[in-house]
Amino acid sequence: TAAARKASKKTQHVRSAGDWITLILLVAGALLVLFPLLVLTVNAFKTSADYNATGPLSLPKHFTMEGIISFWTTTNFPLKFWNSFIISLVVAVAAVVLSVLNSFALGIGKVKGNTWIVLGIMLANMMPQDPLYTMFKQVGLYNTKLAIIIIFTIIQSAYGTYLLSSVYGTFPQAILEAAAIDGASRWQILRKVVLPISWPTISVLFVFFFVWTWNEYMIPMAFLMSDDVQTIPLALATLQGQRTMEATTLASASLLSIIPTIIFFIIFQRKLSQGITAGAVK
């Protein structure tokens, strides 16, 4: 009856003690994660005198953008941002394409010895940088964005191949056989059957590849010497190496360096959550 339905709805909305504990822990964890970002943001808009007088945990008494302007002009931030964006975007797209093609051949194509091939691809990432340095020097690609794009495309696609090949290895064979009976070619099966189903996982790889490449420091430091090809992490490291650098300017630089990745996550958060949920369900 109506009374019974109302009673059942009330019982459904009643939270148990475990639910409240979980909620409290999640809120506390979120605050713990966001606290460093909040402190960074507060100090980015402080004056140097304000920071020296009150420390890093107090609110700014005088709002200023001197630190942001200083980092923007000193390091030519627009150029560094463009370099990081182009490198990260091209690597993310190229690595996803290579991962899909490799995984389709290894996971669905059932290439003989596919397990050993995937293992070999992963082991190739352990190659030291010295041979890469010599090789790119000889072919004239040292100190260019193309060198970083090639290196990171190979590194990221190796991880993507390992992940996607295991996913494609469990792909329902009945669907593939039905598509083949209908006259679909291998390319059509990939484009019209496999990609639509695995798109959430591919979206997650794209987001991770972009962010990982954006934050990378060690390899760009070894291969990008000229100021006009350097990325944002290198510009930030240059500031950190200057002993006279103000703490507020360093906070502003750190804030500017992570804002693009935050915006990128916000734009693709729906695809990211869909991909993680799809992987969990699978």
Side-chain angles (χ1 to χ4, degrees):
T1 63
R5 286 197 297 267
K6 289 182 180 181
S8 63
K9 288 182 179 180
K10 289 182 179 180
T11 56
Q12 288 175 359
H13 289 290
V14 174
R15 295 181 181 274
S16 64
D19 294 335
W20 283 110
I21 293 175
T22 303
L23 181 61
I24 293 172
L25 290 177
L26 288 175
V27 172
L31 293 176
L32 185 64
V33 171
L34 292 176
F35 180 74
L37 180 61
L38 178 61
V39 173
L40 190 67
T41 304
V42 168
N43 287 284
F45 295 100
K46 279 184 180 180
T47 62
S48 299
D50 193 2
Y51 179 88
N52 294 330
T54 60
L57 298 180
S58 63
L59 295 175
K61 296 181 179 178
H62 304 285
F63 180 87
T64 181
M65 296 187 65
E66 291 179 359
I68 294 177
I69 295 173
S70 176
F71 175 69
W72 189 284
T73 56
T74 302
T75 62
N76 193 1
F77 180 80
L79 178 61
K80 301 298 191 299
F81 173 84
W82 178 250
N83 292 337
S84 293
F85 180 77
I86 288 297
I87 291 174
S88 301
L89 182 62
V90 173
V91 167
V93 173
V96 164
V97 172
L98 276 180
S99 300
V100 170
L101 295 177
N102 292 339
S103 303
F104 182 73
L106 296 173
I108 294 179
K110 301 299 182 183
V111 176
K112 187 176 181 180
N114 55 354
T115 303
W116 292 104
I117 294 175
V118 173
L119 180 61
I121 292 174
M122 296 299 297
L123 290 177
N125 284 330
M126 299 181 184
M127 179 184 295
Q129 294 183 12
D130 293 342
L132 294 176
Y133 174 86
T134 303
M135 180 178 64
F136 282 105
K137 272 276 193 180
Q138 292 176 348
V139 299
L141 291 179
Y142 180 74
N143 196 32
T144 64
K145 292 192 287 289
L146 182 57
I148 302 301
I149 289 173
I150 293 174
I151 293 173
F152 281 126
T153 297
I154 295 173
I155 293 175
Q156 311 290 27
S157 63
Y159 173 79
T161 299
Y162 172 76
L163 176 64
L164 278 180
S165 60
S166 61
V167 174
Y168 287 172
T170 59
F171 205 88
Q173 292 296 318
I175 299 178
L176 302 176
E177 292 172 359
I181 292 173
D182 289 339
S185 63
R186 301 286 288 181
W187 170 250
Q188 290 174 327
I189 292 175
L190 171 63
R191 186 167 58 91
K192 296 183 178 181
V193 179
V194 176
L195 283 181
I197 295 177
S198 59
W199 189 249
T201 305
I202 294 173
S203 300
V204 172
L205 287 179
F206 175 78
V207 174
F208 284 166
F209 290 167
F210 184 94
V211 175
W212 289 344
T213 306
W214 181 281
N215 293 329
E216 184 60 38
Y217 169 72
M218 293 301 298
I219 293 180
M221 181 188 67
F223 284 85
L224 299 178
M225 296 294 105
S226 300
D227 184 70
D228 59 338
V229 295
Q230 289 184 347
T231 58
I232 289 179
L234 294 181
L236 184 60
T238 301
L239 288 182
Q240 290 176 332
Q242 299 176 5
R243 296 184 179 180
T244 58
M245 177 56 55
E246 296 287 347
T248 54
T249 303
L250 189 58
S252 302
S254 301
L255 182 64
L256 282 178
S257 67
I258 64 176
I259 283 178
T261 57
I262 295 175
I263 295 175
F264 192 80
F265 263 115
I266 292 175
I267 294 174
F268 289 96
Q269 66 173 350
R270 179 173 297 180
K271 290 293 184 182
L272 186 63
S273 60
Q274 288 176 353
I276 294 174
T277 304
V281 171
K282 185 172 181 62

